[in-house]
Amino acid sequence: MIIFGTKGYLYQLAILTFMCGSCGNPAAHTLKKRVTKFTLFFVPLFPFSTKYMTQCTFCGTEQRITKEQAEQLQAQGTNGPGGQAYGQGQPQQQQPYQS
């Protein structure tokens, strides 16, 4: 018998402040990366799905973005005055999500 499946991981990359397209408020937005990995006998082997998104902390609206947009926003957050970096210089913590 072979046991296989998937497991999801959610990474918070940065917290940025900009105008929300949904509610119109200048609010903090979390930049997130969701990775789904294939598992064999409950051991995660390789990622097969990676998605990037921002979530408004004021209204809760999530918006999917591309990898390039996520990298650009993360670079703006660490270098620009409009945001602040989250966990720079520290290893990222893996937080499984329930789907």
Side-chain angles (χ1 to χ4, degrees), residues 31-89:
L31 178 62
K32 300 177 183 179
K33 175 182 173 181
R34 179 173 287 157
V35 180
T36 305
K37 294 185 178 183
F38 176 79
T39 61
L40 185 63
F41 294 106
F42 306 106
V43 177
L45 296 177
F46 58 88
F48 69 89
S49 173
T50 302
K51 298 175 185 174
Y52 294 88
M53 64 195 73
T54 60
Q55 183 178 18
C56 177
T57 57
F58 188 81
C59 66
T61 303
E62 284 190 355
Q63 180 181 5
R64 278 192 67 189
I65 58 175
T66 64
K67 180 180 179 180
E68 292 78 21
Q69 290 172 330
E71 289 171 353
Q72 184 180 17
L73 284 173
Q74 195 172 9
Q76 286 176 352
T78 56
N79 297 332
Q84 79 186 88
Y86 175 81
Q88 290 296 326

Side-chain angles (χ1 to χ4, degrees), residues 6-19:
T6 62
K7 184 172 184 179
Y9 296 91
L10 186 62
Y11 301 96
Q12 183 172 333
L13 302 176
I15 299 175
L16 308 163
T17 303
F18 55 87
M19 189 74 70

